[in-house]
Short mmCIF file of all heavy atoms in Angstrom, two decimals:
data_model
loop_
_atom_site.label_atom_id
_atom_site.label_comp_id
_atom_site.label_asym_id
_atom_site.label_seq_id
_atom_site.Cartn_x
_atom_site.Cartn_y
_atom_site.Cartn_z
N ILE A 1 -5.77 -11.07 -7.40
CA ILE A 1 -6.60 -11.78 -6.42
C ILE A 1 -5.77 -12.26 -5.25
O ILE A 1 -6.17 -12.14 -4.08
CB ILE A 1 -7.34 -12.95 -7.11
CG1 ILE A 1 -8.33 -12.42 -8.15
CG2 ILE A 1 -8.08 -13.79 -6.07
CD1 ILE A 1 -8.90 -13.49 -9.06
N ALA A 2 -4.58 -12.77 -5.56
CA ALA A 2 -3.69 -13.23 -4.49
C ALA A 2 -3.29 -12.09 -3.56
O ALA A 2 -3.07 -12.30 -2.36
CB ALA A 2 -2.44 -13.87 -5.10
N ALA A 3 -3.25 -10.86 -4.10
CA ALA A 3 -2.88 -9.69 -3.30
C ALA A 3 -4.06 -9.13 -2.51
O ALA A 3 -3.88 -8.21 -1.70
CB ALA A 3 -2.30 -8.61 -4.20
N GLY A 4 -5.29 -9.64 -2.77
CA GLY A 4 -6.43 -9.20 -1.97
C GLY A 4 -7.60 -8.64 -2.73
O GLY A 4 -8.59 -8.20 -2.12
N ALA A 5 -7.57 -8.61 -4.07
CA ALA A 5 -8.71 -8.08 -4.83
C ALA A 5 -9.91 -9.01 -4.66
O ALA A 5 -9.79 -10.22 -4.86
CB ALA A 5 -8.34 -7.95 -6.30
N THR A 6 -11.05 -8.44 -4.29
CA THR A 6 -12.27 -9.23 -4.12
C THR A 6 -13.18 -9.16 -5.34
O THR A 6 -14.11 -9.95 -5.46
CB THR A 6 -13.04 -8.75 -2.88
OG1 THR A 6 -13.16 -7.32 -2.92
CG2 THR A 6 -12.31 -9.14 -1.60
N THR A 7 -12.91 -8.19 -6.22
CA THR A 7 -13.60 -8.08 -7.51
C THR A 7 -12.55 -7.82 -8.58
O THR A 7 -11.67 -6.97 -8.38
CB THR A 7 -14.62 -6.93 -7.51
OG1 THR A 7 -15.61 -7.15 -6.49
CG2 THR A 7 -15.31 -6.81 -8.86
N VAL A 8 -12.62 -8.55 -9.68
CA VAL A 8 -11.73 -8.27 -10.82
C VAL A 8 -12.60 -7.85 -11.99
O VAL A 8 -13.52 -8.58 -12.39
CB VAL A 8 -10.83 -9.47 -11.17
CG1 VAL A 8 -9.73 -9.63 -10.13
CG2 VAL A 8 -11.62 -10.75 -11.33
N ASN A 9 -12.34 -6.67 -12.50
CA ASN A 9 -13.17 -6.08 -13.54
C ASN A 9 -12.47 -6.20 -14.89
O ASN A 9 -11.29 -5.90 -15.01
CB ASN A 9 -13.42 -4.61 -13.19
CG ASN A 9 -14.25 -3.92 -14.25
OD1 ASN A 9 -15.28 -4.43 -14.65
ND2 ASN A 9 -13.78 -2.77 -14.72
N ILE A 10 -13.22 -6.63 -15.90
CA ILE A 10 -12.66 -6.84 -17.23
C ILE A 10 -13.21 -5.75 -18.16
O ILE A 10 -14.34 -5.84 -18.64
CB ILE A 10 -13.04 -8.24 -17.78
CG1 ILE A 10 -12.79 -9.32 -16.70
CG2 ILE A 10 -12.28 -8.54 -19.06
CD1 ILE A 10 -11.36 -9.34 -16.16
N PRO A 11 -12.41 -4.71 -18.43
CA PRO A 11 -12.91 -3.60 -19.25
C PRO A 11 -12.64 -3.78 -20.74
O PRO A 11 -11.54 -4.14 -21.15
CB PRO A 11 -12.12 -2.39 -18.73
CG PRO A 11 -11.21 -2.90 -17.65
CD PRO A 11 -11.12 -4.38 -17.83
N ASP A 12 -13.68 -3.54 -21.53
CA ASP A 12 -13.50 -3.36 -22.98
C ASP A 12 -13.38 -1.85 -23.18
O ASP A 12 -14.32 -1.16 -23.56
CB ASP A 12 -14.71 -3.93 -23.72
CG ASP A 12 -14.58 -3.78 -25.24
OD1 ASP A 12 -13.45 -3.56 -25.71
OD2 ASP A 12 -15.61 -3.88 -25.93
N THR A 13 -12.20 -1.34 -22.89
CA THR A 13 -11.95 0.10 -22.77
C THR A 13 -12.29 0.88 -24.02
O THR A 13 -12.76 2.01 -23.95
CB THR A 13 -10.48 0.33 -22.37
OG1 THR A 13 -10.23 -0.34 -21.14
CG2 THR A 13 -10.17 1.82 -22.22
N VAL A 14 -12.04 0.29 -25.19
CA VAL A 14 -12.23 1.04 -26.43
C VAL A 14 -13.43 0.53 -27.23
O VAL A 14 -13.62 0.91 -28.39
CB VAL A 14 -10.95 1.00 -27.30
CG1 VAL A 14 -9.83 1.75 -26.62
CG2 VAL A 14 -10.52 -0.44 -27.59
N GLY A 15 -14.25 -0.32 -26.63
CA GLY A 15 -15.46 -0.79 -27.31
C GLY A 15 -15.18 -1.58 -28.56
O GLY A 15 -15.87 -1.45 -29.57
N TYR A 16 -14.16 -2.44 -28.50
CA TYR A 16 -13.66 -3.13 -29.69
C TYR A 16 -14.19 -4.55 -29.86
O TYR A 16 -14.36 -5.04 -30.96
CB TYR A 16 -12.12 -3.18 -29.63
CG TYR A 16 -11.45 -3.86 -30.78
CD1 TYR A 16 -11.40 -3.27 -32.04
CD2 TYR A 16 -10.84 -5.11 -30.61
CE1 TYR A 16 -10.77 -3.91 -33.11
CE2 TYR A 16 -10.21 -5.75 -31.67
CZ TYR A 16 -10.18 -5.15 -32.91
OH TYR A 16 -9.56 -5.77 -33.96
N THR A 17 -14.48 -5.22 -28.74
CA THR A 17 -14.82 -6.64 -28.82
C THR A 17 -16.26 -6.87 -29.27
O THR A 17 -17.12 -5.99 -29.17
CB THR A 17 -14.60 -7.34 -27.46
OG1 THR A 17 -15.43 -6.71 -26.48
CG2 THR A 17 -13.16 -7.27 -27.03
N THR A 18 -16.51 -8.08 -29.74
CA THR A 18 -17.85 -8.52 -30.14
C THR A 18 -18.37 -9.47 -29.07
O THR A 18 -17.60 -10.00 -28.26
CB THR A 18 -17.82 -9.24 -31.49
OG1 THR A 18 -17.03 -10.44 -31.35
CG2 THR A 18 -17.22 -8.35 -32.58
N PRO A 19 -19.69 -9.70 -29.04
CA PRO A 19 -20.25 -10.55 -27.97
C PRO A 19 -19.59 -11.92 -27.86
O PRO A 19 -19.27 -12.36 -26.75
CB PRO A 19 -21.72 -10.66 -28.36
CG PRO A 19 -22.01 -9.36 -29.06
CD PRO A 19 -20.75 -9.06 -29.83
N ARG A 20 -19.38 -12.61 -28.97
CA ARG A 20 -18.77 -13.94 -28.89
C ARG A 20 -17.36 -13.87 -28.31
O ARG A 20 -16.98 -14.68 -27.48
CB ARG A 20 -18.75 -14.61 -30.27
CG ARG A 20 -18.14 -16.00 -30.24
CD ARG A 20 -18.22 -16.68 -31.59
NE ARG A 20 -19.60 -17.01 -31.94
CZ ARG A 20 -19.93 -17.66 -33.06
NH1 ARG A 20 -19.00 -18.03 -33.92
NH2 ARG A 20 -21.20 -17.93 -33.32
N GLU A 21 -16.59 -12.87 -28.74
CA GLU A 21 -15.23 -12.70 -28.22
C GLU A 21 -15.24 -12.39 -26.73
O GLU A 21 -14.43 -12.93 -25.97
CB GLU A 21 -14.52 -11.57 -28.97
CG GLU A 21 -14.17 -11.87 -30.41
CD GLU A 21 -13.62 -10.65 -31.12
OE1 GLU A 21 -14.17 -9.55 -30.90
OE2 GLU A 21 -12.66 -10.79 -31.89
N PHE A 22 -16.14 -11.50 -26.33
CA PHE A 22 -16.18 -11.08 -24.93
C PHE A 22 -16.61 -12.24 -24.04
O PHE A 22 -16.07 -12.46 -22.95
CB PHE A 22 -17.12 -9.88 -24.76
CG PHE A 22 -16.82 -9.05 -23.54
CD1 PHE A 22 -15.56 -8.53 -23.32
CD2 PHE A 22 -17.82 -8.76 -22.62
CE1 PHE A 22 -15.28 -7.75 -22.20
CE2 PHE A 22 -17.56 -7.98 -21.49
CZ PHE A 22 -16.29 -7.48 -21.29
N GLY A 23 -17.61 -13.01 -24.49
CA GLY A 23 -18.04 -14.17 -23.74
C GLY A 23 -16.92 -15.18 -23.60
O GLY A 23 -16.72 -15.76 -22.52
N ALA A 24 -16.16 -15.38 -24.68
CA ALA A 24 -15.04 -16.32 -24.64
C ALA A 24 -13.95 -15.84 -23.69
O ALA A 24 -13.31 -16.65 -23.00
CB ALA A 24 -14.47 -16.51 -26.05
N LEU A 25 -13.74 -14.51 -23.64
CA LEU A 25 -12.74 -13.95 -22.72
C LEU A 25 -13.12 -14.24 -21.27
O LEU A 25 -12.28 -14.67 -20.47
CB LEU A 25 -12.61 -12.44 -22.95
CG LEU A 25 -11.65 -11.68 -22.04
CD1 LEU A 25 -10.22 -12.20 -22.20
CD2 LEU A 25 -11.70 -10.18 -22.33
N ILE A 26 -14.39 -14.04 -20.92
CA ILE A 26 -14.85 -14.31 -19.55
C ILE A 26 -14.76 -15.80 -19.25
O ILE A 26 -14.32 -16.21 -18.16
CB ILE A 26 -16.30 -13.80 -19.35
CG1 ILE A 26 -16.40 -12.30 -19.64
CG2 ILE A 26 -16.77 -14.11 -17.92
CD1 ILE A 26 -15.49 -11.43 -18.82
N ARG A 27 -15.15 -16.62 -20.21
CA ARG A 27 -15.07 -18.08 -20.00
C ARG A 27 -13.62 -18.52 -19.82
O ARG A 27 -13.32 -19.36 -18.96
CB ARG A 27 -15.70 -18.79 -21.20
CG ARG A 27 -15.80 -20.30 -21.02
CD ARG A 27 -16.70 -20.93 -22.08
NE ARG A 27 -16.18 -20.73 -23.44
CZ ARG A 27 -16.71 -19.88 -24.33
NH1 ARG A 27 -17.78 -19.16 -24.01
NH2 ARG A 27 -16.20 -19.77 -25.53
N GLY A 28 -12.71 -17.92 -20.61
CA GLY A 28 -11.29 -18.25 -20.47
C GLY A 28 -10.75 -17.88 -19.10
O GLY A 28 -9.93 -18.62 -18.52
N ILE A 29 -11.20 -16.76 -18.56
CA ILE A 29 -10.78 -16.34 -17.22
C ILE A 29 -11.27 -17.34 -16.17
O ILE A 29 -10.54 -17.74 -15.27
CB ILE A 29 -11.30 -14.92 -16.93
CG1 ILE A 29 -10.56 -13.89 -17.80
CG2 ILE A 29 -11.16 -14.58 -15.44
CD1 ILE A 29 -11.17 -12.51 -17.80
N LYS A 30 -12.53 -17.76 -16.31
CA LYS A 30 -13.10 -18.74 -15.37
C LYS A 30 -12.30 -20.05 -15.39
O LYS A 30 -12.12 -20.70 -14.36
CB LYS A 30 -14.56 -19.03 -15.74
CG LYS A 30 -15.52 -17.89 -15.46
CD LYS A 30 -16.03 -17.91 -14.05
CE LYS A 30 -16.99 -19.04 -13.81
NZ LYS A 30 -17.56 -19.00 -12.44
N GLU A 31 -11.82 -20.41 -16.57
CA GLU A 31 -11.17 -21.71 -16.72
C GLU A 31 -9.67 -21.67 -16.46
O GLU A 31 -9.07 -22.72 -16.17
CB GLU A 31 -11.42 -22.24 -18.14
CG GLU A 31 -12.89 -22.56 -18.42
CD GLU A 31 -13.15 -22.90 -19.87
OE1 GLU A 31 -12.22 -22.70 -20.71
OE2 GLU A 31 -14.28 -23.31 -20.20
N ASN A 32 -9.04 -20.49 -16.54
CA ASN A 32 -7.58 -20.44 -16.52
C ASN A 32 -6.96 -19.62 -15.38
O ASN A 32 -5.74 -19.57 -15.27
CB ASN A 32 -7.06 -19.89 -17.85
CG ASN A 32 -7.35 -20.83 -19.01
OD1 ASN A 32 -6.68 -21.84 -19.18
ND2 ASN A 32 -8.35 -20.49 -19.81
N VAL A 33 -7.79 -18.97 -14.55
CA VAL A 33 -7.26 -18.25 -13.39
C VAL A 33 -7.54 -19.12 -12.16
O VAL A 33 -8.70 -19.24 -11.74
CB VAL A 33 -7.91 -16.85 -13.26
CG1 VAL A 33 -7.38 -16.14 -12.01
CG2 VAL A 33 -7.63 -16.01 -14.50
N PRO A 34 -6.52 -19.74 -11.59
CA PRO A 34 -6.73 -20.75 -10.53
C PRO A 34 -7.53 -20.27 -9.34
O PRO A 34 -8.30 -21.04 -8.76
CB PRO A 34 -5.29 -21.12 -10.13
CG PRO A 34 -4.44 -20.74 -11.28
CD PRO A 34 -5.10 -19.56 -11.91
N ASN A 35 -7.35 -19.00 -8.94
CA ASN A 35 -8.03 -18.51 -7.73
C ASN A 35 -9.23 -17.63 -8.05
O ASN A 35 -9.67 -16.83 -7.22
CB ASN A 35 -7.03 -17.74 -6.85
CG ASN A 35 -6.30 -16.63 -7.61
OD1 ASN A 35 -6.52 -16.45 -8.81
ND2 ASN A 35 -5.45 -15.89 -6.92
N ILE A 36 -9.81 -17.78 -9.25
CA ILE A 36 -10.92 -16.91 -9.66
C ILE A 36 -12.15 -17.09 -8.77
O ILE A 36 -12.98 -16.19 -8.65
CB ILE A 36 -11.29 -17.15 -11.15
CG1 ILE A 36 -12.18 -16.02 -11.68
CG2 ILE A 36 -11.96 -18.50 -11.33
CD1 ILE A 36 -11.55 -14.67 -11.67
N ASP A 37 -12.27 -18.25 -8.10
CA ASP A 37 -13.42 -18.46 -7.22
C ASP A 37 -13.36 -17.59 -5.97
O ASP A 37 -14.33 -17.51 -5.21
CB ASP A 37 -13.51 -19.94 -6.82
CG ASP A 37 -12.29 -20.41 -6.05
OD1 ASP A 37 -11.18 -19.87 -6.28
OD2 ASP A 37 -12.44 -21.31 -5.20
N GLN A 38 -12.25 -16.88 -5.76
CA GLN A 38 -12.11 -15.99 -4.60
C GLN A 38 -12.52 -14.55 -4.92
O GLN A 38 -12.39 -13.68 -4.08
CB GLN A 38 -10.66 -16.03 -4.10
CG GLN A 38 -10.20 -17.39 -3.62
CD GLN A 38 -8.73 -17.39 -3.24
OE1 GLN A 38 -8.21 -16.40 -2.74
NE2 GLN A 38 -8.05 -18.50 -3.48
N ALA A 39 -12.96 -14.33 -6.15
CA ALA A 39 -13.34 -12.97 -6.54
C ALA A 39 -14.57 -12.99 -7.44
O ALA A 39 -14.90 -14.00 -8.07
CB ALA A 39 -12.17 -12.29 -7.27
N ILE A 40 -15.26 -11.87 -7.48
CA ILE A 40 -16.40 -11.67 -8.39
C ILE A 40 -15.86 -11.14 -9.71
O ILE A 40 -15.02 -10.23 -9.74
CB ILE A 40 -17.41 -10.68 -7.79
CG1 ILE A 40 -18.08 -11.31 -6.56
CG2 ILE A 40 -18.45 -10.25 -8.81
CD1 ILE A 40 -18.87 -10.32 -5.73
#
């Protein structure tokens, strides 16, 4: 994001995660990436 990404995509590349895990991953990103408000 600091380098200019306007969208950051979170891939479950191998179809491994479960809904609760995936939701927690997105929530963790919202809470722990300081500049996440600058990207979708």
Side-chain angles (χ1 to χ4, degrees):
I1 295 169
T6 49
T7 300
V8 286
N9 178 50
I10 313 304
D12 181 17
T13 301
V14 294
Y16 180 72
T17 60
T18 64
R20 181 176 291 182
E21 290 173 319
F22 203 55
L25 178 61
I26 302 303
R27 186 167 62 253
I29 290 168
K30 289 274 289 184
E31 294 172 350
N32 294 284
V33 178
N35 54 359
I36 194 62
D37 61 331
Q38 298 176 34
I40 292 168

